[in-house]
Amino acid sequence: MSEQANDAALRHLITLDGLSGAQISEFLDIAESLRATAERPVNKLPILRGRTVVNLFFEPSTRTRTSFELAATRLSADVVNFDVAASSTKKGETLLDTLRTLEAMRCDLFVVRHQENGTPEYLARHAAPGVVIVNGGDGNHAHPTQGLLDAFTIRRHKPDLHNLTVTIVGDIQHSRVARSDIHALQALGIGQLRLAGPAALLPEQLQSSRCQLFHDMDAAVRDADVVIMLRLQKERMAKALVESDRDYARDWGLNADRLALARPDALVMHPGPMNRGVEITDDVADGPQSVIFQQVSNGVAVRMAVMAKLLGAFQ
Ligand code: NCD
């Protein structure tokens, strides 16, 4: 069952599960219109002037936190980066008290990243009227803005999504990115979605009529239009689930020989941070088919779109 009714106006962004293709396309269309702003010499729009965005990150992050901060700044919002390490949460303040405290200071939108599945959803249930929660990644549950930016990046290069084969490779088990990519791409009617990885990292329940599971990387990559590589998330593994990095690179790493099995114009993607030499070789990560740093740029536009839409700047 989907987690979000798709007829209700979207107030928070917790997951892409349950959103319609039209709702997802709307975010991507707004992102497209905002993308040019980032390229201008004066790269600010007054859309969120007077609004305050709080980055509430309980897990480390480089790209996502910076990306939300830049996105908010480019829409002229004020941004507070809540420093969890130096905060009262270390003194035992509950999450809800932290939220209430920041709400009392008239903050409008909270980007929440947390190691536990469900934390952004919990805060959304308790948020004051008008306050918006955006999930910046929770556990292995969802990373909706990454799902949107990946779909956006694919759509910009290959708009005919219905005829595309997209392969996601690696640590699917621990990947909130994979889950959100699956939801975004399926809602947009992607032709074929393949998931590949070692058995211990590939949950069987993801098998469906529109998701094919592969236990062999060459077969998964053959004739693909897009190959999305994932990081091996050892910090989420209670015990080692793969042999060595070397064995992993041999069986599941994307190198030039494997990439040659995909379509000649196939895109190579990775949400970052990359473990170079493990899931991807340098020549592929930095090669002509890689759009990895375009994903990063697109992430800013997509997050601008999400914040502007949820704060009511686009009706
Ligand atoms: C990912 C995350 O944190 O889920 N990174 C990101 O947000 N771009 C993926 C990862 O950590 O491997």
Side-chain angles (χ1 to χ4, degrees):
M1 207 174 77
S2 78
E3 298 171 49
Q4 262 162 185
N6 66 27
D7 47 352
L10 205 57
R11 178 175 160 204
H12 307 284
L13 185 65
I14 305 303
T15 172
L16 301 178
D17 191 12
L19 295 195
S20 64
Q23 283 173 305
I24 289 179
S25 299
E26 189 186 359
F27 281 123
L28 307 193
D29 294 343
I30 298 173
E32 194 60 60
S33 74
L34 293 172
R35 212 180 78 100
T37 307
E39 322 270 299
R40 294 204 196 108
V42 177
N43 60 10
K44 275 200 179 189
L45 293 170
I47 292 179
L48 296 184
R49 196 157 51 200
R51 315 302 291 269
T52 302
V53 170
V54 181
N55 274 324
L56 203 53
F57 277 53
F58 295 88
E59 259 191 3
S61 166
T62 312
R63 251 157 302 272
T64 307
R65 198 192 56 70
T66 315
S67 180
F68 271 106
E69 181 172 357
L70 288 173
T73 310
R74 288 183 186 159
L75 294 174
S76 307
D78 296 315
V79 184
V80 175
N81 286 311
F82 184 81
D83 183 357
V84 173
S87 75
S88 288
T89 57
K90 292 279 174 214
K91 299 183 191 168
E93 182 170 87
T94 66
L95 256 177
L96 270 189
D97 282 334
T98 303
L99 177 69
R100 297 270 175 268
T101 302
L102 293 159
E103 280 175 349
M105 294 190 242
R106 306 243 351 251
C107 296
D108 300 290
L109 183 148
F110 294 82
V111 183
V112 182
R113 169 169 285 199
H114 202 278
Q115 57 280 8
E116 273 171 45
N117 290 7
T119 301
E121 206 261 326
Y122 170 77
L123 292 176
R125 265 188 284 123
H126 293 92
V131 167
V132 172
I133 306 288
V134 174
N135 184 358
D138 63 328
N140 71 352
H141 170 239
H143 194 345
T145 57
Q146 183 76 41
L148 291 175
L149 81 87
D150 287 348
F152 183 75
T153 303
I154 295 171
R155 194 182 80 162
R156 295 200 93 245
H157 285 273
K158 297 178 184 291
D160 185 12
L161 297 176
H162 294 88
N163 286 317
L164 293 188
T165 296
V166 176
T167 300
I168 306 179
V169 185
D171 185 357
I172 312 263
Q173 169 68 34
H174 299 103
S175 180
R176 52 198 178 205
V177 174
R179 284 173 184 73
S180 288
D181 282 355
I182 292 168
H183 290 137
L185 294 173
Q186 290 193 332
L188 292 169
I190 204 78
Q192 209 190 107
L193 196 47
R194 299 175 178 171
L195 308 177
L201 301 176
L202 190 60
E204 288 294 328
Q205 63 268 30
L206 289 175
Q207 176 91 46
S208 73
S209 55
R210 286 158 73 207
C211 250
Q212 254 185 297
L213 303 195
F214 284 73
H215 297 284
D216 172 69
M217 173 132 178
D218 291 358
V221 168
R222 189 160 291 119
D223 297 326
D225 297 284
V226 179
V227 182
I228 302 177
M229 299 305 299
L230 300 172
R231 183 175 68 87
L232 206 49
Q233 301 199 27
K234 290 185 184 160
E235 77 279 14
R236 295 190 203 282
M237 299 179 193
K239 61 178 174 60
L241 294 176
V242 293
E243 293 164 39
S244 64
D245 285 357
R246 243 173 102 198
D247 291 335
Y248 188 82
R250 185 196 58 221
D251 296 338
W252 300 103
L254 189 61
N255 55 36
D257 289 342
R258 283 220 167 97
L259 181 57
L261 299 171
R263 293 209 187 261
D265 61 347
L267 304 177
V268 173
M269 299 174 57
H270 192 305
M274 286 187 272
N275 283 318
R276 288 171 177 263
V278 182
E279 71 266 3
I280 192 163
T281 55
D282 285 330
D283 55 336
V284 171
D286 302 325
Q289 288 170 254
S290 168
V291 293
I292 292 170
F293 291 99
Q294 291 178 31
Q295 288 174 268
V296 177
S297 315
N298 291 338
V300 178
V302 163
R303 290 174 177 120
M304 287 166 79
V306 165
M307 290 192 278
K309 171 78 186 155
L310 295 180
L311 286 173
F314 289 86
Q315 291 312 323

